[in-house]
């Protein structure tokens, strides 16, 4: 019981569960859930009380970084003026997603050269609906109404057949995280994997069953056919920000491709499961949604997948990957997660190279105009299968660092100037990618790689910006 002159504050990263009665006689100031750039507090209660729940939103830093999914944990929260100024300005964006037309709907429109409120946009947050926001400076926004503590039922979710058919932006309606599809959700014609927007990667991240959707966070779901419906259950609320995954024992690999120029990234997951078939399985798989990062997805038939499921007997198999750059330049494919009982090899058809990703490798490559979208594929082998690795060495220079990969032997790497003077010497051993800093001034250099059966000489240029 919070008296009229008292209050409770939940600090960023803190949490409070009230399992019995909760009374607040101090209005919006009586209960405050704080948020900052590090985290947000969490509150779980079954009492509908007036509160203030904050959400820190970091500013945009480029055209691709600074977008956030947002949802309301309270009922009847007005959008203006806290989230969109009255009148709107050019310094913020606030959108909703329309599945039928596959478009983002803005809260503001241009009326004779002035920005005004879009009269077709709702004036208050809809519980269970997600929104897309961006601001020109860091913000701490406050929801100041009665907490939602009830299940939220969403019905008549369409599947229009547009380019983004069936995708809907929903929202976590509670001041705590929720566990997605954990057995409490009542879903009809809804795919088993959701997506949240990963701001740092500028792309979507798949959320499988039992994965975590943060407080006040929007998430995408897809209607598989006809009309979809689901219940966002209060029983799925949790303070834990770590996903809980059932230990199925089935092999799995998750890869991440990074664009080193724009600092964006896209995940792709392949899992092996006894219920997987050649046809699309909405329970296990997730169709691909493009963000601002390079597009990286698995391919089956005419479909693109961010998560694909293969039969267990497909462990001795190869799967086609799609890669579409967002700009030219260097990229890295990293192993985020892989099963102990699975060997994984990346096939680069452009360079005619097989690269071992088993156990957490990474592969740096250059993307250029005209590259085949299906340049890469993945080859899988269960542990115990003999495999003879490709011994060809690939060497390249990037940001004045020398990269050497493609060998598991001992190789001597030597750097010379054009007069033949030896400047640096390095002995590398073991498989994987080796990175050597070339600490030399601006100019042209030669690098020589040598072993019992490998010999390469390359010429490269180092540029130092003295400013």
């Amino acid at each position: 019981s919070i008296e009229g002159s008292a209050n409770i504050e939940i600090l960023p990263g803190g949490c409070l569960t009230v399992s019995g009665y909760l009374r607040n006689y101090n209005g919006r100031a009586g209960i405050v859930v704080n948020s900052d750039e590090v985290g947000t507090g969490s509150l779980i209660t079954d009492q509908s009380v007036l509160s203030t729940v904050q959400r820190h939103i970091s500013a945009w830093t480029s055209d691709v970084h600074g977008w956030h999914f947002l949802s309301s944990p309270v009922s009847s929260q007005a959008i203006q003026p806290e989230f969109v100024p009255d009148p709107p300005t050019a310094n913020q964006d606030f959108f909703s997603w329309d599945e039928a037309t596959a478009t983002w709907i803005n809260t503001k429109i241009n009326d004779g050269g002035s920005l005004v409120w879009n009269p077709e946009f709702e004036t208050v947050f809809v519980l269970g609906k997600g929104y897309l926001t961006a601001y020109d400076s860091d913000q701490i926004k406050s929801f100041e109404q009665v907490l939602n503590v009830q299940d939220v039922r969403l019905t008549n979710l369409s599947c229009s057949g547009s380019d983004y058919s069936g995708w809907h932006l929903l929202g976590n309606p509670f001041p705590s995280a929720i566990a997605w599809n954990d057995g409490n959700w009542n879903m009809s014609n809804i795919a088993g994997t959701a997506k949240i927007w990963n701001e740092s990667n500028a792309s979507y991240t798949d959320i499988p069953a039992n994965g975590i959707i943060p407080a006040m966070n929007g998430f995408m779901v897809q209607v598989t056919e006809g009309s979809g419906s689901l219940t966002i259950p209060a029983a799925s609320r949790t303070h834990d920000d770590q996903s809980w995954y059932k230990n199925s024992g089935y092999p799995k690999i998750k890869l991440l491709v990074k664009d080193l120029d724009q600092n964006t990234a896209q995940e792709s997951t392949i899992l092996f499961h006894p219920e997987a078939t050649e046809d699309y399985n909405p329970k296990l798989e997730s169709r691909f949604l493009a963000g601002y990062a390079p597009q990286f997805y698995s391919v089956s038939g005419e479909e693109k997948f961010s998560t694909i499921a293969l039969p267990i007997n497909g462990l001795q198999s190869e799967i086609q990957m799609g890669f579409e750059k967002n700009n030219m330049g260097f990229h890295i494919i990293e192993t985020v997660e892989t099963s102990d009982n699975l060997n994984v090899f990346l096939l680069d058809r452009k360079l005619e190279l097989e690269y071992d990703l088993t156990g957490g490798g990474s592969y740096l490559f250059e993307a250029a105009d005209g590259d085949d979208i299906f340049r890469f594929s993945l080859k899988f082998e269960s542990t115990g299968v003999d495999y003879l690795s490709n011994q060809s060495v690939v060497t390249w220079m990037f940001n004045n660092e020398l990269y050497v990969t493609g060998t598991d032997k001992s190789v001597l790497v030597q750097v010379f100037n054009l007069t033949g003077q030896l400047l640096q010497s390095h002995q590398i051993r073991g498989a994987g990618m080796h990175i050597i800093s070339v600490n030399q001034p601006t100019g042209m250099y030669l690098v020589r790689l040598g072993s019992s059966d490998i010999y390469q000489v390359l010429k490269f240029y180092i540029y130092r910006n003295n400013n």
Side-chain angles (χ1 to χ4, degrees):
S1 180
I2 302 168
E3 301 302 329
S5 59
N7 79 315
I8 288 177
E9 292 200 30
I10 303 174
L11 299 181
C15 60
L16 173 66
T17 299
V18 182
S19 56
Y21 289 104
L22 174 62
R23 294 291 182 265
N24 175 19
Y25 298 103
N26 194 16
R28 294 177 178 86
I31 301 175
V32 179
V33 181
N34 289 275
S35 179
D36 62 15
E37 67 276 6
V38 177
T40 298
S42 179
L43 173 61
I44 296 177
T45 176
D46 290 331
Q47 306 298 309
S48 299
V49 294
L50 195 61
S51 304
T52 296
V53 184
Q54 296 180 349
R55 167 72 185 271
H56 179 273
I57 303 174
S58 58
W60 71 59
T61 56
S62 69
D63 290 341
V64 302
H65 289 290
W67 295 98
H68 304 268
F69 280 176
L70 182 68
S71 62
S72 175
V74 301
S75 59
S76 303
Q77 173 66 49
I79 297 175
Q80 283 187 311
E82 177 69 5
F83 297 87
V84 177
D86 185 10
T89 70
N91 297 329
Q92 88 293 316
D93 286 301
F94 195 104
F95 296 88
S96 65
W97 172 254
D98 182 61
E99 188 276 338
T101 59
T103 56
W104 291 102
I105 308 299
N106 204 335
T107 51
K108 57 191 177 186
I109 58 176
N110 193 307
D111 183 17
S114 299
L115 293 175
V116 299
W117 180 263
N118 181 355
E120 297 184 2
F121 207 98
E122 59 264 27
T123 58
V124 299
F125 282 83
V126 177
L127 277 176
K129 181 175 180 177
Y131 300 87
L132 176 67
T133 65
Y135 296 92
D136 67 341
S137 61
D138 284 8
Q139 303 282 319
I140 295 181
K141 298 297 186 181
S142 294
F143 297 90
E144 299 181 348
Q145 290 293 337
V146 175
L147 293 176
N148 174 63
V149 297
Q150 302 293 326
D151 296 351
V152 174
R153 181 69 177 166
L154 301 169
T155 60
N156 298 320
L157 299 176
S158 59
C159 185
S160 64
S162 66
D163 290 341
Y164 296 90
S165 180
W167 288 105
H168 293 265
L169 179 54
L170 308 185
N172 178 354
F174 304 108
S176 70
I178 51 176
W180 159 256
N181 193 12
D182 64 348
N184 294 308
W185 296 62
N186 181 10
M187 302 194 301
S188 175
N189 293 335
I190 302 292
T193 299
K195 297 179 188 289
I196 61 173
W197 181 254
N198 187 319
E199 190 279 330
S200 60
N201 287 347
S203 64
Y204 292 97
T205 294
D206 284 0
I207 305 297
N210 302 296
I212 296 301
I213 298 172
M216 293 166 281
N217 209 99
F219 58 99
M220 298 289 283
V221 302
Q222 188 177 31
V223 178
T224 56
E225 61 181 354
S227 178
S229 62
L230 60 78
T231 297
I232 306 175
S236 295
R237 292 175 295 175
T238 177
H239 292 307
D240 193 355
D241 61 356
Q242 298 297 315
S243 298
W244 175 73
Y245 300 108
K246 294 181 180 178
N247 184 12
S248 65
Y250 301 125
K252 174 184 178 181
I253 181 171
K254 180 184 289 187
L255 300 178
L256 181 77
V257 63
K258 290 183 178 180
D259 172 9
L260 299 183
D261 291 329
Q262 289 190 317
N263 194 30
T264 62
Q266 176 65 59
E267 292 182 354
S268 186
T269 300
I270 300 96
L271 59 90
F272 295 86
H273 198 280
E275 296 180 24
T277 64
E278 293 184 1
D279 297 327
Y280 167 56
N281 186 328
K283 177 182 176 181
L284 302 173
E285 299 178 311
S286 182
R287 293 185 171 110
F288 180 76
L289 267 183
Y292 292 114
Q295 296 185 41
F296 188 50
Y297 48 83
S298 50
V299 179
S300 179
E302 300 297 321
E303 296 251 43
K304 303 176 182 179
F305 294 95
S306 52
T307 295
I308 194 170
L310 303 178
I312 289 293
N313 60 13
L315 280 170
Q316 308 289 334
S317 66
E318 184 175 327
I319 184 172
Q320 182 66 62
M321 302 296 294
F323 172 79
E324 301 178 43
K325 66 179 183 62
N326 52 6
N327 61 281
M328 293 183 292
F330 285 91
H331 300 70
I332 290 180
I333 295 175
E334 295 183 347
T335 306
V336 177
E337 180 182 351
T338 185
S339 301
D340 293 336
N341 58 345
L342 187 63
N343 294 330
V344 184
F345 305 95
L346 179 72
L347 311 181
D348 185 342
R349 292 184 177 83
K350 181 177 181 180
L351 300 181
E352 298 182 348
L353 174 72
E354 288 188 5
Y355 188 77
D356 190 353
L357 293 176
T358 304
S362 58
Y363 179 72
L364 190 147
F365 65 98
E366 187 174 13
D369 288 337
D371 283 353
D372 187 351
I373 292 176
F374 304 120
R375 170 180 175 174
F376 298 107
S377 62
L378 290 177
K379 178 181 177 181
F380 308 98
E381 295 178 352
S382 59
T383 301
V385 177
D386 291 333
Y387 178 75
L388 180 62
S389 61
N390 190 317
Q391 295 297 331
S392 62
V393 176
V394 178
T395 310
W396 64 93
M397 193 74 181
F398 180 67
N399 277 352
N400 299 333
E401 290 185 318
L402 185 68
Y403 291 76
V404 182
T405 187
T407 180
D408 56 7
K409 298 184 177 182
S410 176
V411 176
L412 179 64
V413 181
Q414 297 172 302
V415 179
F416 301 85
N417 60 22
L418 294 185
T419 66
Q421 180 184 7
L422 177 62
L423 303 174
Q424 293 179 219
S425 181
H426 307 269
Q427 193 80 34
I428 61 174
R429 296 178 176 86
M433 181 183 296
H434 302 271
I435 305 174
I436 300 171
S437 295
V438 182
N439 301 313
Q440 303 298 332
T442 297
M444 190 72 69
Y445 296 88
L446 299 173
V447 59
R448 182 172 67 191
L449 290 80
S451 70
S452 58
D453 60 350
I454 296 172
Y455 182 83
Q456 287 185 2
V457 177
L458 303 102
K459 181 184 293 186
F460 59 87
Y461 186 80
I462 288 181
Y463 174 74
R464 302 276 184 191
N465 187 343
N466 294 326
N467 295 325

